[in-house]
Amino acid sequence: MSTYRRLCRSDAAFPPLLARIHGPPDALWLRGHAPVEILSRPAVAVVGARSCSGYGSHVGRVLGRELAAAGVVVVSGLARGIDGEAHRGALEAGGTTIAVLGCGIDKDYPQRHARLAAEIAATGMVVSEYECGVDPAPWRFPARNRIVAGLTRAVVIVEARERSGALITADFALDEGREVFAVPGEITSRLSVGTNELIRLGATPLTKTVDVLEELGLVPTVAKPTTRLTPAAERVLSVVRDASLGLDEIVRASGIDAGAVAAAISELELAGLVGDTAGLFRAAGGS
Amino acid sequence: MLARALTHALVGLDSRAVEVEAHVHTGRVPGFGIVGLADRACQEAKERVRSGITSAELQWPKDRRTTVNLAPAGLRKEGSAFDLPIALAILAASQQLPAEALGGHAFVGELALDGRVRPVHGVLAVAEGARRLGVERLVCPAACAAEAALAGVRPIPVRHLAEAVAYLRGDGEPEPAPPPNGRPRPPFADLADVRGQERGRRALELAAAGAHNVLLAGPPGTGKTMLSHRLPGILPPLTEQQCLEVTRIHSVAGLLEPGRPLVTEPPFRRPHHTSSTAAIVGGGPGPRPGEASLAHRGVLFLDELPEFARPALEALRQPIEDGTVSVARVGGRLIFPAAFQLVGTMNLCPCGGQGDPAADCSCTPQRLAAFRDKLSRALLDRFDLVILMPRSRAAELSAEPSEQSDPVRHRVVEARVRLADACPPMSTGARGLLDRAVERLPLSGRGRARVARVSQTIAALAGAEQIDSEHVAEALSYRPPNEFTPV
């Protein structure tokens, strides 16, 4: 049984960054055993589209992982798509992540993220300004976004359509003087219209995780691959570093036969060096 | 006057002996009646038999009462295969044939109004039934004679009722039927037609070698269907026993090609996605084999898998697991063999945009979830090999012509022999890798067994003495991708 706590604005432990925003919540409901102090640790929000592309979910996952590995708290909204990926990435790296809900913290919304929410609560925190039992409603999500922006020093928008909730988060962040990063996307993709527009308006384009870390004055901890790779895996890794490719393309580019490429890919996946979406493989993390 | 002729009624894939008794007597009212649970087609035999006898310039017993009884009376009789025995029994009962001539024979065939004998379904089962009773000769339609010969009885091929009568009167034997499988089989689609698709080809070879179920997923137009059609061409040929098993099923379904009664190659069945559950697993009032049984010892190909009705897909779980379908009806329970290899294709989302770099997916999350839910975890778990086929770039289509089916089939046959021998041991490294995979990847207990099974096939294809880590690593790459795991 999870324990729920309530943190009032008058409490000394109330995160000062959040207290400073316009219209801060009177209190936060907290789910999870982690100390309240994690709310005040350096945090970055990673948010974006719910129905994201393979590229978006990959970037979300990697950002979550690398930010968490560098000791940054990853804040997001537990939604499908980018939000979920960012949380998962942070959990994978063994880091701390905070999910801000637009409903009561006892509601698992969306339903399919119930398990994810439990995992987040195990090491991090699920928070909301709403009392237990409050149902999700469309108008509560923009309000939730102000807390996402309020808890963090920087907000990264991974993918956003022209009208997207993630852009509301960016607006809040700008109003509060927090840094806004946008992940550049293909100009032909509808999912990148919002983010590319942000960049045009002056948001910092995020090209690697270090960009954010430097902004926060943090030095990234470089994670070196510890496993020794087979020659085939080395070759495949160098091929997918150049572009995301289907397996057939890797076979042709590397000159290795399909069976051996499949074996190499599994090896790289297990080592966390390669990820895939819809059959296209990418080198995990920046080079 | 009373006469008897032996025939067989089909019950599922088997046959039960039926005695056709004809009684021609001077009743108060002249007429013709068939009793003994005969269905509609069987009742209509009256008209065909009457016209057939007249057309063969024989005498219809006029001004007499003719009663035909199909015994045992409790067994349902369906279809038109009783026409010939009914006609001959009546002729014997009206003393136009020596009644004792009917002994030692079984009869099957449909009559045309002009007395010709038409081919019927399930002659192989009837012939087998006759042989079980020790009956040596089967008078059957000439087109079915080769099929009957497969059961080891001596077929008496007749083309016309008059020919059968002449034979039974001892006026010479009809000319023999052509030998079975005189016609060459049409060639299979060849793997050489598939450009690029190294991954898909590899998976197909593994599927053939290990008789694994395969699921091909990807946007439309990436060659999923084309690849699937090439699986039968690399499967090993059927053994003699298997040929008979398959032929028996196809005979009952009336699917045997004229001139090629023995099915010697693995069948390839591709039911449409609107097919009903009964059409797929078998059923109907007098249960008939469904597509799952018609694909016995071959390939059941379900194009656009999520478009199939959920109950139809779920009904496939039993045959996938134990290779048989059991159909329960009021009249009893029937077991059809259904040891097939399942090949499915699907898009990654309803609109088909996912996995295609040139298209945006416009599916709502709800629609996507509903689409993926069609494929229950339980069904997905039955696919040993899951392949994602992303859209190929232009470069692939101009790739070098690829290997033909024949050498692949050769490797498959060799691997099957090795797999049949003994399970090779798994090296320590391989087991360690498998353990690590279970920890790191979402891999269930069943998933682990699946990977182990596939790595065994990979090792067998490679001719390896033991299962090494590279084999396990490759097998891991065929697990269902994250896209299919509801999160």
Side-chain angles (χ1 to χ4, degrees):
Chain A
M1 179 66 203
S2 333
T3 49
Y4 301 148
R5 288 173 283 176
R6 187 166 185 268
L7 181 66
C8 290
R9 199 159 75 206
S10 51
D11 269 319
F14 195 84
L17 270 179
L18 184 61
R20 218 183 292 156
I21 66 168
H22 180 73
D26 292 334
L28 281 182
W29 286 89
L30 315 177
R31 172 180 162 195
H33 300 283
V36 181
E37 284 73 44
I38 66 162
L39 291 171
S40 309
R41 294 227 318 252
V44 171
V46 178
V47 295
R50 277 173 297 171
S51 46
C52 57
S53 70
Y55 163 72
S57 62
H58 177 75
V59 171
R61 175 81 68 124
V62 169
L63 270 176
R65 192 188 298 148
E66 295 188 347
L67 287 171
V72 174
V73 175
V74 176
V75 179
S76 198
L78 196 69
R80 278 187 311 267
I82 305 289
D83 288 18
E85 292 295 331
H87 288 304
R88 278 199 197 90
L91 290 173
E92 271 175 15
T96 310
T97 179
I98 296 173
V100 186
L101 304 191
C103 55
I105 48 174
D106 56 334
K107 300 263 172 188
D108 286 319
Y109 184 85
Q111 186 59 50
R112 59 168 54 190
H113 280 176
R115 214 173 73 193
L116 180 61
E119 283 172 28
I120 293 171
T123 53
M125 219 171 254
V126 176
V127 308
S128 171
E129 65 175 309
Y130 302 109
E131 291 185 18
C132 287
V134 173
D135 283 322
W139 49 270
R140 291 206 175 97
F141 292 105
R144 175 271 307 266
N145 291 351
R146 92 184 188 283
I147 301 178
V148 171
L151 280 170
T152 54
R153 295 216 232 157
V155 172
V156 183
I157 320 289
V158 177
E159 271 186 323
R161 289 171 199 263
E162 204 168 355
R163 293 158 45 84
S164 166
L167 298 182
I168 300 177
T169 314
D171 283 343
F172 280 124
L174 285 174
D175 289 347
E176 304 301 336
R178 315 285 156 89
E179 195 61 38
V180 174
F181 291 87
V183 175
E186 292 177 34
I187 57 171
T188 51
S189 167
R190 268 184 297 171
L191 280 163
S192 300
V193 174
T195 41
N196 287 343
E197 179 69 9
L198 276 177
I199 292 171
R200 205 176 67 80
L201 295 175
T204 315
L206 181 127
T207 54
K208 44 189 184 307
T209 316
V210 187
D211 295 350
V212 190
L213 297 176
E214 276 172 357
E215 187 63 38
L216 298 180
L218 287 168
V219 191
T221 52
V222 188
K224 279 261 180 265
T226 45
T227 38
R228 196 183 297 146
L229 298 174
T230 58
E234 292 278 9
R235 178 101 189 80
V236 168
L237 184 60
S238 77
V239 168
V240 293
R241 270 201 211 286
D242 294 337
S244 63
L245 294 173
L247 224 137
D248 292 339
E249 291 160 318
I250 301 175
V251 169
R252 253 186 303 286
S254 65
I256 308 174
D257 74 74
V261 166
I265 284 288
S266 297
E267 187 185 334
L268 291 168
E269 272 184 313
L270 280 174
L273 294 171
V274 155
D276 85 295
T277 32
L280 295 177
F281 295 87
R282 291 183 175 83
S287 42
Chain B
M1 177 74 197
L2 186 76
R4 291 193 181 86
L6 177 71
T7 186
H8 284 78
L10 289 178
V11 180
L13 298 180
D14 276 326
S15 60
R16 299 261 298 273
V18 169
E19 205 169 35
V20 179
E21 300 172 321
H23 188 204
V24 177
H25 56 109
T26 36
R28 250 165 290 166
V29 191
F32 181 15
I34 296 181
V35 297
L37 270 193
D39 81 339
R40 185 78 190 267
C42 207
Q43 284 292 348
E44 287 168 349
K46 281 183 214 164
E47 305 303 326
R48 289 190 297 268
V49 167
R50 200 196 302 257
S51 301
I53 287 181
T54 328
S55 305
E57 297 184 339
L58 296 157
Q59 289 299 313
W60 177 254
K62 251 183 283 172
D63 310 325
R64 302 286 195 86
R65 179 147 189 91
T66 305
T67 307
V68 170
N69 180 32
L70 306 175
L75 178 71
R76 272 180 63 89
K77 285 109 194 153
E78 291 182 347
S80 52
F82 300 97
D83 293 3
L84 184 64
I86 290 174
L88 292 172
I90 291 173
L91 289 172
S94 57
Q95 286 162 325
Q96 301 177 65
L97 269 183
E100 62 280 3
L102 297 184
H105 289 84
F107 307 87
V108 66
E110 177 182 325
L111 285 183
L113 294 183
D114 60 2
R116 273 182 303 117
V117 179
R118 287 193 163 131
V120 291
H121 302 168
V123 169
L124 179 56
V126 172
E128 284 179 330
R131 207 197 44 194
R132 272 200 304 274
L133 290 180
V135 174
E136 293 285 309
R137 296 168 175 221
L138 177 69
V139 178
C140 62
C144 303
E147 183 187 337
L150 295 175
V153 299
R154 187 169 148 213
I156 311 293
V158 293
R159 291 154 191 84
H160 195 276
L161 179 59
E163 210 174 357
V165 170
Y167 163 74
L168 292 168
R169 281 175 176 164
D171 298 345
E173 296 222 355
E175 59 183 279
N181 288 17
R183 255 202 253 170
R185 74 172 165 77
F188 286 116
D190 200 284
L191 266 179
D193 309 335
V194 179
R195 298 288 175 89
Q197 302 285 26
E198 285 81 0
R199 168 86 164 160
R201 297 169 62 98
R202 170 76 178 164
L204 210 61
E205 187 172 335
L206 288 176
H212 298 294
N213 298 328
V214 203
L215 181 61
L216 303 169
T222 51
K224 303 184 292 288
T225 308
M226 184 179 182
L227 203 57
S228 312
H229 277 278
R230 276 145 186 86
L231 179 56
I234 59 170
L235 286 175
L238 300 178
T239 64
E240 213 168 301
Q241 181 60 35
Q242 290 171 338
C243 287
L244 272 179
E245 283 174 27
V246 176
T247 303
R248 200 172 295 137
I249 302 169
H250 285 231
S251 159
V252 167
L255 286 175
L256 294 180
E257 289 173 56
R260 282 186 54 80
L262 186 63
V263 181
T264 52
E265 305 294 331
F268 184 84
R269 302 294 304 174
R270 44 173 315 177
H272 191 253
H273 58 72
T274 51
S275 305
S276 67
T277 308
I280 289 190
V281 294
R288 296 171 68 83
E291 293 289 337
S293 298
L294 294 174
H296 181 59
R297 303 285 177 209
V299 177
L300 180 64
F301 175 56
L302 301 184
D303 209 358
E304 305 297 346
L305 194 69
E307 303 293 328
F308 280 81
R310 178 90 189 237
L313 291 178
E314 295 300 313
L316 280 176
R317 279 163 49 185
Q318 184 207 2
I320 293 174
E321 215 52 35
D322 45 17
T324 57
V325 173
S326 80
V327 182
R329 287 292 180 274
V330 181
R333 206 171 75 118
L334 283 175
I335 302 220
F336 293 127
F340 56 83
Q341 192 172 347
L342 183 61
V343 177
T345 73
M346 63 181 287
N347 293 337
L348 289 173
C349 65
C351 81
Q354 281 212 8
D356 186 347
D360 260 340
C361 171
S362 58
C363 303
T364 59
Q366 289 79 3
R367 219 170 139 221
L368 191 61
F371 179 79
R372 298 241 167 103
D373 280 350
K374 260 294 185 51
L375 221 67
S376 69
R377 206 92 276 272
L379 185 63
L380 194 59
D381 262 341
R382 264 108 181 150
F383 287 100
D384 288 348
L385 306 167
V386 181
I387 314 294
L388 282 185
M389 297 176 69
R391 154 123 16 247
S392 55
R393 315 264 154 99
E396 282 198 38
L397 299 176
S398 59
E400 302 280 302
S402 346
E403 194 181 17
Q404 292 186 331
S405 287
D406 278 345
V408 181
R409 180 164 161 154
H410 197 72
R411 288 199 295 271
V412 166
V413 171
E414 284 182 351
R416 284 252 175 137
V417 171
R418 268 182 232 120
L419 280 170
D421 280 353
C423 177
M426 199 180 258
S427 72
T428 337
R431 195 165 294 121
L433 178 64
L434 196 50
D435 289 340
R436 211 143 44 87
V438 172
E439 277 167 32
R440 282 227 47 181
L441 307 167
L443 201 62
S444 60
R446 201 183 254 155
R448 187 195 165 111
R450 198 169 50 210
V451 170
R453 214 158 42 227
V454 175
S455 33
Q456 198 181 327
T457 307
I458 296 171
L461 256 182
E465 293 292 316
Q466 61 171 2
I467 301 172
D468 282 324
S469 46
E470 73 214 58
H471 304 138
V472 172
E474 185 184 346
L476 280 171
S477 76
Y478 301 110
R479 70 186 192 279
N482 300 333
E483 277 80 9
F484 290 2
T485 19
V487 279

